[in-house]
Amino acid sequence: MTTKNQAEEKTNSLNFIESIIENDIKNNKNEKRVHTRFPPEPNGYLHIGHAKSICLNFGLAKRFGGKCNLRFDDTNPTKEEVEYVDSIMEDVRWLGFEWDGDVHYASDYFDQLYLWAEKMILDGKAYVDDQTSEQIASQKGTPTVPGKESPFRNRTPKENLELFRKMRAGEYKDGEKILRAKIDMASSNMHMRDPIMYRIIHKEHHRTGNKWCIYPMYDFTHGQSDYIEGITHSVCTLEFEVHRPLYNWYLDQLIDTEYRPQQIEFARLNLSYTVMSKRKLLELVQNKYVSGWDDPRMPTVSGMRRRGYTPEAIRDFADRIGVAKRDNVIDVSLLEFCVREDLNKKADRLMAVIDPIKLVIENYPEGKMEMVSVENNPEDESRGSREMPFGKEIFIERSDFMEDAPNKFFRLTIGKEVRLKGAYIIKAERVIKDAEGKITEIQCTYDPESRSGSGSEASKRKVKATIHWVEASQAVPIVVRQYDRLFNHEDPGGQEDDFKNYLNKESLKTLTHCLAEPAIKNLKKQDRVQFQRQGYFCVDLDSSNETIIFNRTVTLKDDWAKLSSKND
Ligand code: ATP
Ligand code: MG
């Protein structure tokens, strides 16, 4: 795992993309301008991989005093929706970034792209093909075997223009005709074998309505959109490397200025125990394996937000993993580590008992109630302290007591002492059990002189353990959703069988009998806290005054690391 010091060094030295840009500026390229963009297709919610790309693109603009656009690559009306557009804008802003000027849409350029397509037809560089997509695919060849030329390849520009205009006018059905670039069916780059430029789709577009029934392919749109927006460094993931010659070829046919957007590829982020393809994430949502795109188990930005992750933690994670040129897999525990690091500084400590058992202090005066003071965040004194009620009956964590404890058990057991955090030292005397033999109550005595912070000798007395607790009469019932990894395989998407076979059936446990100290009533939705000794939690969006719901954001330690070292 990358250590904190290494990560700090990393942010101060240049990654390979920054070096390219620095060099470009030195050489006065594009009048020293730096203009990047983040170009999502609005066909799903953003995931942590997109967050990486956002941090990179917006980060580069910031570092070099440049600009970064947000552009929706909305060329396919069959899969795209306004809901996705809205969620993407919300997520980018939540991550802490603001795009330059207005949001851009590839669909803003449909008129220009259409004119460019006509120009290519007139120049003899594009033709209308009447074959079906299956026929065209069967003529593609393989990387080592040249493809076959279409029988329609040698139509005249005049005929092609007429047909293309009829395509636009709606005279053909979906799939009846397409427009292809006339490049080279024998090219060693499959993307150069007469790629499709336009297809017919009779479907309303979320922005252009019914104006068009032909839509440009992503490949015929992307490079030109970068060009139109004056993008200097078009940063994208490695799979687009093989598309680069095609983007350049299109621009060479259409543009005679010297300026070109420069495409630079980096390795996409892969996370262990996660799938990241939008198609797979959509499948999980549509088939209700999760409660929605923002289910706290999803690797989506909205899911992580709901779970309680902070934008700072995600940006820190993006920094630490850096920018790679080769595909690799990042351990999801690094992301969890970043979340923990950030919440440790920010989250106030509260007490909640997840699996409560009643504890009665026999020698504590009947009916007495006192307030004890506990600090809010030991990492941040300025957070101050709060008062907690203490009385004769309290609840502690069932796992903090053992009747027949082995020697190594340092928490509460008969005849042994522990300290109640912020309060007194208690000693267990006996237990009460129900008919099945299950413990229903622990009876204790306390040392009245031992109250924390009282300054007495007994208050300084060291005992083996300090445990958390809540006072019984004022405890607030809460529901806790305990999340675990959504998949139980390191690479669920990379197996022969269906990725859904690797869903972790234990990924959500809903615990309904938890109790918290009264201060939790002051929390608002999405507020984050540390429940002492339990982990970091955040108030869920479904929470209400009647039912207060907490999501477990992350445990205090990496349980999985512990598990695997045990197994070692
Ligand atoms: P998916 O494969 O999940 O469907 P995509 O690449 O099709 O993702 P886009 O909306 O086209 O999704 O992506 C927008 C931008 O985010 C692109 O520049 C893409 O390269 C980048 N991106 C997508 N996935 C990742 C990833 N895992 N790591 C880094 N960048 C990514
Ligand atoms: Mg894509």
Side-chain angles (χ1 to χ4, degrees):
M1 196 192 292
T2 317
T3 66
K4 195 156 176 289
N5 286 344
Q6 282 170 327
E8 269 166 15
E9 265 169 42
K10 203 178 283 169
T11 47
N12 294 331
S13 65
L14 296 186
N15 65 44
F16 81 96
I17 300 180
E18 290 165 339
S19 301
I20 293 175
I21 296 180
E22 196 170 78
N23 219 29
D24 288 346
I25 294 174
K26 228 181 262 158
N27 295 329
N28 223 359
K29 194 172 168 186
N30 302 311
E31 303 83 44
K32 301 189 188 310
R33 278 191 315 116
V34 174
H35 202 155
T36 57
R37 83 287 169 270
F38 173 64
E41 186 182 352
N43 61 350
Y45 280 59
L46 297 183
H47 53 56
I48 182 75
H50 294 116
K52 161 81 204 157
S53 174
I54 290 167
C55 292
L56 179 58
N57 279 296
F58 284 89
L60 287 170
K62 202 161 162 195
R63 177 159 198 154
F64 293 101
K67 298 171 174 175
C68 182
N69 288 1
L70 173 63
R71 180 201 316 138
F72 288 102
D73 262 314
D74 54 350
T75 51
N76 185 354
T78 61
K79 286 194 198 151
E80 295 159 4
E81 287 176 30
V82 180
E83 178 196 344
Y84 298 138
V85 170
D86 293 341
S87 77
I88 290 170
M89 292 197 284
E90 185 186 355
D91 287 353
V92 171
R93 288 198 164 121
W94 179 76
L95 283 169
F97 300 105
E98 188 62 49
W99 47 90
D100 181 61
D102 292 333
V103 175
H104 297 271
Y105 295 86
S107 55
D108 292 342
Y109 314 134
F110 281 175
D111 286 305
Q112 176 65 65
L113 289 165
Y114 179 82
L115 291 176
W116 274 332
E118 285 209 345
K119 174 180 159 51
M120 282 185 47
I121 291 172
L122 288 170
D123 292 346
K125 293 182 176 145
Y127 62 97
V128 173
D129 198 328
D130 297 357
Q131 301 182 100
T132 63
S133 52
E134 291 78 28
Q135 284 169 320
I136 292 171
S138 72
Q139 294 160 359
K140 265 240 130 147
T142 68
T144 48
V145 179
K148 245 176 68 191
E149 292 189 355
S150 161
F152 300 96
R153 197 173 198 261
N154 294 319
R155 279 175 162 155
T156 62
K158 184 165 171 287
E159 190 188 354
N160 281 319
L161 191 62
E162 250 167 56
L163 290 168
F164 187 52
R165 288 183 174 171
K166 283 186 181 171
M167 279 169 65
R168 180 194 179 166
E171 295 191 16
Y172 306 112
K173 290 198 286 291
D174 288 10
E176 233 178 293
K177 291 197 169 16
I178 54 155
L179 184 71
R180 294 176 76 177
K182 193 168 175 177
I183 309 180
D184 178 5
M185 286 306 289
S187 172
S188 57
N189 182 336
M190 301 288 285
H191 296 281
M192 300 297 275
R193 294 187 184 175
D194 291 11
I196 298 171
M197 291 166 58
Y198 267 89
R199 70 261 203 243
I200 301 170
I201 304 176
H202 287 275
K203 176 123 203 266
E204 194 173 300
H205 184 279
H206 72 115
R207 298 195 75 244
T208 58
N210 291 309
K211 177 172 174 187
W212 300 93
C213 62
I214 55 171
Y215 290 93
M217 296 299 290
Y218 180 83
D219 278 354
F220 186 64
T221 309
H222 192 75
Q224 289 99 304
S225 302
D226 279 346
Y227 176 84
I228 292 169
E229 292 175 15
I231 300 304
T232 55
H233 300 87
S234 179
V235 179
C236 64
T237 35
L238 282 176
E239 69 270 26
F240 293 104
E241 191 171 5
V242 281
H243 297 242
R244 177 158 27 103
L246 178 58
Y247 298 159
N248 290 338
W249 187 86
Y250 281 135
L251 287 176
D252 288 345
Q253 312 313 306
L254 300 169
I255 309 297
D256 47 24
T257 60
E258 203 187 305
Y259 151 71
R260 289 280 187 282
Q262 177 187 356
Q263 178 168 307
I264 307 169
E265 302 88 9
F266 71 101
R268 62 196 295 121
L269 164 65
N270 300 303
L271 265 192
S272 61
Y273 295 96
T274 313
V275 295
M276 218 117 73
S277 114
K278 280 189 275 189
R279 185 181 56 74
K280 293 192 175 114
L281 296 176
L282 180 66
E283 204 178 323
L284 294 176
V285 173
Q286 283 180 336
N287 298 321
K288 304 223 169 5
Y289 290 100
V290 293
S291 64
W293 285 98
D294 70 345
D295 186 301
R297 290 165 294 177
M298 290 281 272
T300 52
V301 174
S302 51
M304 294 181 178
R305 172 167 63 234
R306 182 164 183 176
R307 180 152 173 173
Y309 285 21
T310 58
E312 292 81 3
I314 296 175
R315 294 202 301 263
D316 179 33
F317 172 69
D319 262 3
R320 284 172 195 259
I321 58 179
V323 193
K325 283 187 190 175
R326 295 275 157 270
D327 275 322
N328 58 358
V329 180
I330 304 288
D331 193 333
V332 68
S333 61
L334 180 62
L335 176 59
E336 290 161 356
F337 168 81
C338 294
V339 173
R340 228 174 256 132
E341 283 269 297
D342 191 42
L343 290 180
N344 182 38
K345 289 177 271 164
K346 290 185 181 148
D348 279 352
R349 276 56 169 167
L350 288 176
M351 289 199 223
V353 177
I354 305 293
D355 181 14
I357 180 159
K358 193 165 159 192
L359 187 153
V360 178
I361 303 168
E362 294 169 337
N363 59 336
Y364 193 85
E366 198 74 48
K368 177 175 169 180
M369 188 70 71
E370 62 188 301
M371 299 303 282
V372 299
S373 176
V374 268
E375 61 188 339
N376 285 327
N377 189 341
E379 300 288 318
D380 180 0
E381 251 180 52
S382 73
R383 300 295 303 164
S385 59
R386 67 182 187 289
E387 304 267 285
M388 264 180 90
F390 182 82
K392 190 177 176 72
E393 292 194 0
I394 63 172
F395 284 97
I396 66 163
E397 210 67 63
R398 190 171 280 277
S399 58
D400 278 340
F401 178 79
M402 247 179 125
E403 202 181 1
D404 297 311
N407 275 345
K408 275 190 179 161
F409 186 81
F410 294 130
R411 288 162 283 166
L412 193 60
T413 181
I414 305 287
K416 291 254 174 74
E417 288 186 323
V418 296
R419 176 174 290 285
L420 296 172
K421 173 81 182 163
Y424 297 94
I425 293 174
I426 55 167
K427 182 164 95 185
E429 305 289 351
R430 67 193 71 79
V431 293
I432 297 179
K433 294 182 182 172
D434 64 11
E436 273 100 59
K438 190 177 172 192
I439 300 173
T440 53
E441 187 179 307
I442 307 164
Q443 296 187 332
C444 296
T445 50
Y446 85 125
D447 174 356
E449 299 299 316
S450 64
R451 187 172 147 161
S452 300
S454 68
S456 68
E457 279 310 307
S459 74
K460 292 173 197 145
R461 200 146 64 74
K462 290 267 173 286
V463 287
K464 282 267 161 56
T466 301
I467 63 172
H468 61 279
W469 53 276
V470 295
E471 192 279 325
S473 70
Q474 295 188 48
V476 182
I478 60 170
V479 172
V480 167
R481 293 181 181 158
Q482 249 174 22
Y483 296 104
D484 201 343
R485 289 175 185 166
L486 187 53
F487 294 95
N488 52 24
H489 193 290
E490 231 175 68
D491 180 17
Q495 306 310 304
E496 299 237 311
D497 53 340
D498 194 315
F499 75 101
K500 297 196 293 309
N501 293 340
Y502 300 95
L503 278 163
N504 174 10
K505 297 201 174 59
E506 311 266 279
S507 63
L508 168 59
K509 278 194 200 131
T510 304
L511 307 169
T512 52
H513 294 102
C514 317
L515 295 168
E517 63 168 291
I520 64 123
K521 286 196 202 148
N522 302 327
L523 299 175
K524 300 182 304 294
K525 283 185 188 183
Q526 295 275 262
D527 278 354
R528 308 174 183 97
V529 292
Q530 183 196 99
F531 287 154
Q532 288 197 301
R533 301 178 59 228
Q534 301 286 356
Y536 295 97
F537 292 77
C538 126
V539 184
D540 188 67
L541 296 175
D542 288 344
S543 195
S544 66
N545 286 341
E546 290 72 50
T547 315
I548 303 176
I549 305 173
F550 282 88
N551 295 321
R552 184 171 75 188
T553 307
V554 66
T555 52
L556 285 184
K557 286 194 222 84
D558 186 352
D559 310 334
W560 287 69
K562 232 174 21 202
L563 273 183
S564 51
S565 66
K566 253 189 219 154
N567 295 342
D568 282 347

